Amino acid sequence: MNKKLIIGASALAALSFGGGVYYGRCHFYSQGLPHIASSFERAANQGSSDIQAIAGVLRAEELGCTYCPDKAHAYWRQAAEKKTPSTLYLEGYACEMGLGTPRDYIKARQIYKQAAQKNHPPALRQLGYMYFYGRGVPENRAQGQQFLHQAAAHGDLPSKTFLANLSHAK
């Protein structure tokens, strides 16, 4: 089995459940978040887009390592080159929020649209918010709600909650 996959799966499970984890025939006992974060960073430098995406999240959320939006964005930018919906979403999010890069709503929208074409719920949600609130585009609440409904149809809980709160406010 791929060593990076074992490290990644074990680290994700440790992040989710805390403590030791059994994965297949490989035992992994958590040494704490710093150990997990450094394992992810070592694996990310070998080029796996999934691992790069997670390493970026660890940097952006200050999980086991120092907060470094520049490093998080660098991982996400590398990962987005593979054009998977989740890695595109992270790159779009960095552009929208200005994490490690200047805030650029137009670029964020373009990147989110690439992920949304593959029905990625968080990208659909963020597009919905951008149109609903007029961030980088003229405010268009109907268009925003369309994206939010698409995200909700694909199981996105924040979109469902947002739409439910909208209908209660009427």
Side-chain angles (χ1 to χ4, degrees), residues 5-61:
L5 179 62
I6 293 170
I7 291 170
S10 299
L12 283 176
L15 286 171
S16 299
F17 306 108
V21 177
Y22 179 78
Y23 182 79
R25 291 188 295 193
C26 171
H27 291 277
F28 177 84
Y29 296 97
S30 174
Q31 312 238 337
L33 284 175
H35 175 75
I36 293 169
S38 67
S39 295
F40 267 106
E41 290 208 335
R42 282 193 308 273
N45 292 328
Q46 295 176 17
S48 165
S49 62
D50 292 335
I51 301 297
Q52 289 166 335
I54 294 166
V57 170
L58 293 172
R59 280 292 181 175
E61 297 294 328

Side-chain angles (χ1 to χ4, degrees), residues 6-153:
I6 293 170
I7 291 170
S10 299
L12 283 176
L15 286 171
S16 299
F17 306 108
V21 177
Y22 179 78
Y23 182 79
R25 291 188 295 193
C26 171
H27 291 277
F28 177 84
Y29 296 97
S30 174
Q31 312 238 337
L33 284 175
H35 175 75
I36 293 169
S38 67
S39 295
F40 267 106
E41 290 208 335
R42 282 193 308 273
N45 292 328
Q46 295 176 17
S48 165
S49 62
D50 292 335
I51 301 297
Q52 289 166 335
I54 294 166
V57 170
L58 293 172
R59 280 292 181 175
E61 297 294 328
E62 205 170 359
L63 295 170
C65 51
T66 57
Y67 173 72
C68 185
D70 293 339
K71 188 80 167 170
H73 181 248
Y75 283 131
W76 293 338
R77 189 176 54 247
Q78 290 171 2
E81 290 173 4
K82 302 285 193 299
K83 303 284 187 206
T84 64
S86 58
T87 60
L88 286 167
Y89 164 75
L90 289 169
E91 173 67 6
Y93 187 79
C95 292
E96 180 185 7
M97 299 301 165
L99 288 170
T101 186
R103 182 171 281 178
D104 186 341
Y105 290 129
I106 294 168
K107 186 175 180 183
R109 182 173 41 96
Q110 291 168 342
I111 295 170
Y112 284 149
K113 281 189 173 185
Q114 291 177 50
Q117 288 171 345
K118 299 174 184 180
N119 293 318
H120 187 261
L124 289 162
R125 174 186 357 108
Q126 290 309 116
L127 279 171
Y129 290 155
M130 290 181 89
Y131 279 93
F132 192 86
Y133 293 113
R135 290 194 304 236
V137 294
E139 184 178 301
N140 184 335
R141 292 190 173 217
Q143 179 71 42
Q145 286 181 39
Q146 283 181 324
F147 281 117
L148 289 161
H149 280 290
Q150 283 181 278

